[in-house]
Each structure stands twice: as structure tokens, then as C-alpha cells.
Amino acid sequence: MPTPAPYDAIILGAGASGLFCAQRAAGRGLRVAVIDHADKPARKVRISGGGMGNFTNLHASSANYLCANPHFVKSALARLSPWDVIDFLTRLGVTYEEREHGQLFTLTGAGHLAGILVDRCRKLGAYLLTGRKIESVDGPGPFRVVAGGESLEAAALVLALGGPSWPQAGATDLGFRLARRFGLALVNPRPGLVPMTLGPADRERFAPLAGNALPVTIECGPVRFTDPLLFTHRGISGPAVLQISSYWREGEPVTIDFLPQGRVADLMEGNRSSSMLLRTLLGRALPKRLVQTLLPEALASAEVRRLDRRQVEEAAGLVHGLTITPSGTEGYAKAEVTVGGVDTANISSKTFACANVPGLHVIGETLDVTGHLGGFNLHWAFASAAACADALPGGNG
Ligand SMILES: Cc1cc2nc3c(=O)[nH]c(=O)nc-3n(C[C@H](O)[C@H](O)[C@H](O)COP(=O)(O)OP(=O)(O)OC[C@H]3O[C@@H](n4cnc5c(N)ncnc54)[C@H](O)[C@@H]3O)c2cc1C
């Protein structure tokens, strides 16, 4: 049964952070209402991790997050560890597996994960209004929200509206628009964890490789990731590219090492007197098509024993340090996250309350906090939600 009005808190957005906040606040005895325009709550959670929900990461630390203030995430992460998330979810029936880099995926599916959050909210008495267009938001003192013809009031308002990435799952920029209306500054939002596109010349050069994937180290400025790269028809994708895309700015080059686990020079050294063609030797370690694309024909078809030092260095340079300037990204439509968002400068890292709007809180991806690929974004949604829920006034303490 829904909790009778008035509410202690209205939460806008029934996604990962909104639902986690609602169940935790309701568990403290707060009267909570959660509003979402989608008929089915938590649609991004349902599609997360390829449908298996990479819900946290054992190595979660501030180093895994982009934020104008790199210290901002520390307090919330310290208060809700990956083990707290595991404990919470396994008690409710989620089973999981650990994959590489400390990534934890459900075995029961992301839909089950979303369902558990919804059930928990309902069981603890949070009032869930789904399929409701948010018509107006006023306040503070108190906050008044009209949604789907129903008017609700509360002393606290939590913006848990995510970011505009992946609009096909119901994402909008309402969180940013409301934040601006309340006088909060935004750190310029842009698509993150997104495939990159190449300009016409590079696209033509690499298009025959579409569908090929291989481990690489990719660098943009001082940041580097070693993970698989996938060539696509429009450019490059795969975990390495998604990771670097969150750091990349329009016009910047990226450098790719296609053989991060070895050295071209060492391969040659072991075959110094071989009459094998260079393309054959490199083709043992790299996709043959890639060797053909990277190396000029004269170099690729030279016998290894005839190569001079300059040629060895040239081949090594091409394999270990291809520099290309992506023409752009696939945009919000293919971006798993939104980088940037509500500036954390006026948000408490302990309570997620805004300094200059009494009762207003902002959590999850609406904030200028973006995690790396690997479960860090859902973890942030949960951690920021938990800290906010524990700080909301009202309830049993
Ligand atoms: C394809 C995909 C896969 C992903 N996989 C993973 C993964 O495996 N692990 C991981 O950690 N992260 C993953 N992410 C990122 C993760 O899903 C998000 O970072 C996380 O859900 C953010 O939580 P949130 O509560 O801030 O926002 P959301 O979960 O997006 O919730 C926001 C809610 O607000 C509602 N809303 C938006 N606009 C309006 C409006 N105008 N009116 C009313 N309601 C509105 C939405 O319907 C939604 O329910 C993935 C993202 C995508 C797109």
C-alpha cells in the first residue's frame, strides 16, 4: 500500500539510484514517493551488462571515476563498498560471478536485479508512480511535484533522473534542466563510454577490418587503457575505445599500440636470419588484415633477414604507435553514460544535498561523476543513493 501523503521525500527517477535511495529511505521509516515517466522502472538497469547487470566492481575506488573534483566520490564509496552491495543483493536472491578486472555480473539477469529493487521499494512502503509525465516541479518550502495529474508535496526533493545517454531506454536531460532551474551549474555534458567514428580517409583505410577485435593499449593524453578494441564499419569500438572515449575531446588524437603484450623488436630478434616475409612474422601475432593495413606493401613483403634497423623501427612504430584523430563519437544514442552533469562544487559529498537550495539533493549519473566501464556506474548510483537516503531528514533515525 502506498504511504499516505505528505511525503518526507519525493524522488524523481525510478532508475538505479532512485530505487536504491527509495528503498533505503523507506527502510528508515521515511515516507517516500518515486516518480518516473517510464511504465517499467529501471530500464537501463534491465539492459546493463548485456542483460546480465555488471552491478559493481571489487576494485571500485576514486581512481575509477571522472569528476571535476576527484575527491568528491570518496566519502560515498567509503560508506558503501562493493561488499555491501553484494551483501544487499545476495540476501535478496541475486547470485553472481566474478569476471576479469573484478567485474561482478549477476547470474540471475539484470531484469531480476531491477525487479528486486522495485519489489523492495514496494515492500517497504515507498509509493511508486510509473508511467507519469512530470508536469511541474516547484519549491523549496515545500517541494511540490505534479505528475500525471497527481500533486505531491515533500520537504526534500531528490533528482535521480540520470543523464540523456541511451534515449531509447527513456533517458532525457530533465535532471539537467531542473538542476539549472534551481540555479545549479553544469559541467558541460557529453557522451561517454561510446564508440568513436573515423573521418573518410581513416574509415576507408580501416573499414575492411570491421568485425576484427584484438587487445590494444589506447592512449589519450596522460590516460591509457589496455583492453580489446573492435573495428566497426564507422570507426572503432570495444572496451578500450569506450573507456578512452570518456576522456577524449573533439579534435584530440588517440594513439593505439596493437601489440601491447609483446614487442615487434623482440619478434624480429628471435627470427633475425629468417627468410620469412615480415607480414608472415607479424601475422603470427596480429590479424593478417591489420598487418596489411598498417604496413606499406614494400615493408610488409620484405624478408625479415634483409630488414635494416630503420625498417625495424618503422614497423615497430606502426604497430605500437598508430596515431589517429577520431572524427567524433556515435553520440548519446550509443553512449552508455553521460560525462559531466551537475557540478559537484555546491553538493555535499556526504549527504548529496545542494548548499544553496534547502532540501534539494542530486544523486547518480545526473551528477558530474562518471565511472569507468566495469560496474562502476551502477556502483556509483547505489553509493550516492545510500549516502543521500541515510541523510534525508525524517523517519526513525
Ligand atoms: C546499454 C547500457 C549498459 C550499461 N551497462 C552497465 C553495467 O553493466 N554496469 C554499470 O555499472 N553501468 C552500466 N550502465 C550505466 C548505468 O546503467 C547507469 O550509469 C545507471 O543506471 C545510472 O543510474 P541513475 O539512477 O543515475 O540513472 P538511470 O538508471 O538512468 O535512471 C534515471 C531514471 O529517470 C527516468 N527519467 C528520465 N527522464 C525522465 C523524465 N523526463 N521524466 C520522468 N522520469 C525520467 C528514467 O526513466 C530512469 O528510470 C549501462 C548503461 C547503458 C545505457
Side-chain angles (χ1 to χ4, degrees):
M1 280 298 289
T3 318
Y7 296 96
D8 293 307
I10 298 170
I11 300 172
L12 300 185
S17 64
L19 292 175
F20 201 87
C21 185
Q23 61 81 27
R24 187 133 164 161
R28 285 183 51 223
L30 268 74
R31 291 156 305 176
V32 186
V34 195
I35 307 174
D36 204 293
H37 66 164
D39 290 327
K40 217 172 185 181
R43 284 181 60 193
K44 272 192 199 168
V45 176
R46 292 173 199 277
I47 56 172
S48 65
M52 294 313 285
N54 180 193
F55 61 93
T56 189
N57 192 296
L58 292 177
H59 310 311
S61 82
S62 59
N64 304 111
Y65 292 92
L66 290 82
C67 178
N69 172 4
H71 303 293
F72 180 79
V73 297
K74 288 182 180 170
S75 172
L77 294 181
R79 294 180 54 154
L80 191 89
S81 73
W83 290 104
D84 295 326
V85 175
I86 294 166
D87 185 52
F88 171 78
L89 291 176
T90 51
R91 277 171 198 264
L92 296 171
V94 172
T95 51
Y96 67 93
E97 64 175 354
E98 182 181 343
R99 298 195 194 162
E100 56 184 357
H101 307 312
Q103 303 173 91
L104 300 191
F105 284 76
T106 70
L107 288 171
T108 39
H112 181 231
L113 178 63
I116 274 177
L117 293 174
V118 172
D119 288 350
R120 184 96 182 134
C121 284
R122 293 219 166 100
K123 194 167 163 216
L124 292 169
Y127 181 30
L128 223 60
L129 293 90
T130 52
R132 304 287 185 102
K133 181 172 165 29
I134 296 172
E135 284 144 24
S136 65
V137 179
D138 295 298
F143 289 98
R144 189 172 295 111
V145 178
V146 179
E150 193 168 345
S151 179
L152 293 90
E153 261 185 36
L157 182 73
V158 181
L159 301 185
L161 289 158
S165 52
W166 217 271
Q168 53 279 41
T172 72
D173 66 350
L174 182 64
F176 296 162
R177 283 187 277 128
L178 287 175
R180 250 198 234 110
R181 247 194 44 213
F182 283 115
L184 304 180
L186 292 188
V187 173
N188 195 24
R190 59 180 204 280
L193 298 182
V194 61
M196 297 175 116
T197 54
L198 298 176
D202 284 330
R203 197 182 291 185
E204 197 184 320
R205 183 175 176 206
F206 293 106
L209 286 159
N212 278 275
L214 74 163
V216 304
T217 293
I218 189 163
E219 270 180 48
C220 181
V223 185
R224 57 160 61 191
F225 290 96
T226 299
D227 261 315
L229 172 146
L230 170 72
F231 287 99
T232 69
H233 289 290
R234 291 166 50 83
I236 47 176
S237 186
V241 174
L242 301 187
Q243 296 280 34
I244 211 75
S245 73
S246 297
Y247 289 87
W248 180 78
R249 305 288 181 134
E250 198 99 16
E252 282 180 352
V254 297
T255 302
I256 303 169
D257 178 351
F258 288 103
L259 199 57
Q261 72 280 28
R263 304 305 304 165
V264 167
D266 294 342
L267 274 179
M268 306 256 194
E269 194 53 38
N271 294 277
R272 218 198 254 165
S273 51
S274 171
S275 59
M276 199 187 324
L277 304 186
L278 178 56
R279 81 155 67 87
T280 312
L281 178 65
L282 292 181
R284 289 178 173 178
L286 293 168
K288 292 188 174 48
R289 270 225 144 121
L290 177 64
V291 177
Q292 242 172 308
T293 307
L294 290 177
L295 267 56
E297 176 54 26
L299 187 57
S301 55
E303 287 183 16
V304 172
R305 62 182 173 175
R306 300 200 187 284
L307 294 173
D308 60 26
R309 218 176 95 202
R310 190 193 52 77
Q311 287 171 306
V312 173
E313 280 171 8
E314 185 187 348
L318 291 167
V319 170
H320 291 301
L322 174 82
T323 296
I324 43 174
T325 302
S327 60
T329 72
E330 296 278 5
Y332 284 122
K334 297 267 178 69
E336 286 197 15
V337 290
T338 301
V339 184
V342 172
D343 192 342
T344 58
N346 286 313
I347 308 284
S348 160
S349 62
K350 297 198 168 50
T351 65
F352 291 83
C354 304
N356 21 14
V357 188
L360 182 66
H361 296 69
V362 189
I363 59 175
E365 204 180 310
T366 306
L367 285 166
D368 166 36
V369 174
T370 308
H372 290 170
L373 194 71
F376 302 103
N377 285 294
L378 284 176
H379 188 85
W380 172 250
F382 300 150
S384 57
C388 174
D390 292 352
L392 287 171
N396 312 319

